[in-house]
Amino acid sequence: MTDLSQSVVATIAASIASPSERWRQRARAHLDTLTKPLGSLGRLEDLAAQMVAILEDKHSQPLRKAVYVFAADHGITAEGVSAYPREVTHQMVLNFLAQGAAVSVLARLHGAALHVVDVGVDAEFADVDGLIHRKVARGTANMLRGPAMTDAELAQALQTGADLATDAVAAGETMIAVGEMGIGNTTAASAIACAVTGAAAVDATGRGTGVDDAVHGRKIAVVEAVLQQHFAGLSETAAPLEILRCVGGLEIAAMTGFILGAAARRCIVVLDGFISTAAAALAIAIAPAAQGYLIAGHRSQEPGHALLLERLQLRPVLTLEMRLGEASGAVLAMPVLASALSLYTQMATFASAGVSEKA
């Protein structure tokens, strides 16, 4: 049952409208007047038009970039599906805050404010400075042995994400990368990808943190068993909140709520890799109008990511064979997106530059 979590998302979903088609068409028309051959900026033109449609009359204002990294642990790690122990989640959160992680470096380099959120790490952070404390529980339950979360935990995690999106927009942030940290979360994302797309576990389950063949085979078997336990015999695809409740994790639920909240407030959302795209797939299943606010920052090496990108009809900005997580790929895409919008707002038109157009 997902009555509590359904009540959380229902109001948010009802307030989400698709980005403005009028502004998109206006952007397309303006792009065609710039001093370049028609369409010569390729996908940058598509991205610029999408962002103008999202931001509307605010598109000429400087972008305020931010990155939110949601951290949580997963009970499924008890099944030996990861190359690293779950303690690494806690250790990496500290590394983020100490500015030693990849996303810390990239956020600093590209002028994106880094926000790290503890939504379910199996450790206490006490007086750690700079961390957003929103712990729902100390990790999820083992999804192979039962549901990963209670409905109350799911509702709290969703609300946490939605509230943080509200805070982000109130602080003036207009382009937000969404990422995560959680040992075991590629197993959860693989189960979500299968539940959403109908793909077989062997086609959606990758090597995550770089597991060997034996662990990879065990991981596939675990995903198959999870799907059999929770979703076998259904006549149709399971409801998105039921998928989240059964599979987890808390950080995926928080990202789902954040994506919905950001879309409701007309914010550009830059997805990272497999796990954040799994959250996006669930968000779009809840509120299809949210899709227009999403930009896929990159395509990871995880096979399930390709399945989800195809399902959501999202084309990644970058393909760099990454599989790190942390929102690292999303932050790397931000300079490309900022460039697209700057070209749109700052290039001269044929008329203003006195340049002859094509005969």
Side-chain angles (χ1 to χ4, degrees):
M1 296 293 292
T2 56
D3 292 347
L4 288 173
S5 50
Q6 183 61 45
S7 68
V8 169
V9 300
T11 302
I12 304 171
S15 67
I16 299 174
S18 297
S20 170
E21 187 58 30
R22 180 172 65 88
W23 276 93
R24 187 189 303 273
Q25 293 302 322
R26 180 184 295 183
R28 284 290 185 190
H30 178 70
L31 285 162
D32 289 347
T33 70
L34 301 180
T35 49
K36 60 177 181 59
L38 290 176
S40 59
L41 288 176
R43 283 204 61 215
L44 292 176
E45 299 191 23
D46 299 331
L47 293 166
Q50 180 182 359
M51 290 185 286
V52 170
I54 293 170
L55 298 174
E56 297 185 353
D57 56 358
K58 297 178 182 178
H59 71 270
S60 59
Q61 299 176 9
L63 285 171
R64 288 277 305 279
K65 294 174 286 186
V67 51
Y68 284 74
V69 180
F70 295 87
D73 279 304
H74 290 252
I76 197 64
T77 55
E79 306 299 329
V81 294
S82 176
Y84 292 88
R86 65 189 289 160
E87 289 79 12
V88 170
T89 305
H90 172 223
Q91 293 161 0
M92 282 303 299
V93 168
L94 297 176
N95 193 27
F96 295 146
L97 298 172
Q99 301 300 308
V103 72
S104 310
V105 174
L106 293 170
R108 184 167 62 249
L109 176 66
H110 297 300
L114 175 60
H115 307 280
V116 183
V117 186
D118 170 20
V119 72
V121 180
D122 187 16
E124 292 301 329
F125 290 99
D127 299 325
V128 173
D129 291 334
L131 181 66
I132 300 175
H133 298 271
R134 296 290 189 276
K135 194 189 299 291
V136 174
R138 291 183 59 143
T140 55
N142 185 341
M143 63 179 165
L144 186 60
R145 310 300 172 186
M149 291 182 279
T150 66
D151 185 34
E153 290 169 339
L154 173 56
Q156 187 177 345
L158 289 163
Q159 189 66 62
T160 292
D163 289 346
L164 287 171
T166 299
D167 293 344
V169 174
E173 294 169 347
T174 52
M175 177 185 286
I176 302 177
V178 182
E180 41 58 47
M181 177 63 214
I183 296 299
N185 64 11
T186 58
T187 304
S190 296
I192 290 169
C194 293
V196 169
T197 69
V202 69
D203 295 324
T205 308
R207 294 181 181 269
T209 50
V211 298
D212 60 22
D213 289 346
V215 176
H216 185 217
R218 182 161 61 248
K219 185 177 177 181
I220 292 170
V222 165
V223 173
E224 288 175 339
V226 166
L227 295 170
Q228 181 67 29
Q229 175 173 330
H230 295 296
F231 309 121
L234 296 180
S235 59
E236 57 186 21
T237 302
L241 293 178
E242 184 65 8
I243 295 171
L244 258 180
R245 186 183 71 85
C246 291
V247 172
L250 290 160
E251 83 281 31
I252 297 175
M255 287 191 292
T256 301
F258 189 96
I259 290 166
L260 291 170
R265 288 156 185 81
R266 308 191 73 82
C267 183
I268 300 165
V269 178
V270 188
L271 301 175
D272 189 39
F274 185 27
I275 294 91
S276 66
T277 306
L282 296 169
I284 291 172
I286 294 166
Q291 181 166 355
Y293 297 90
L294 307 181
I295 296 174
H298 79 118
R299 173 178 168 173
S300 82
Q301 284 190 306
E302 284 290 308
H305 193 206
L307 293 171
L308 290 173
L309 289 172
E310 182 179 0
R311 172 81 172 195
L312 302 180
Q313 298 182 314
L314 293 174
R315 295 176 61 193
V317 175
L318 304 173
T319 303
L320 299 174
E321 300 181 0
M322 296 172 65
R323 52 177 175 82
L324 176 59
E326 305 178 5
S328 52
V331 176
L332 274 171
M334 282 181 159
V336 177
L337 299 174
S339 297
L341 202 54
S342 292
L343 289 167
Y344 177 87
T345 58
Q346 298 176 31
M347 276 185 71
T349 65
F350 283 101
S352 69
V355 175
S356 299
E357 298 190 49
K358 181 179 179 181

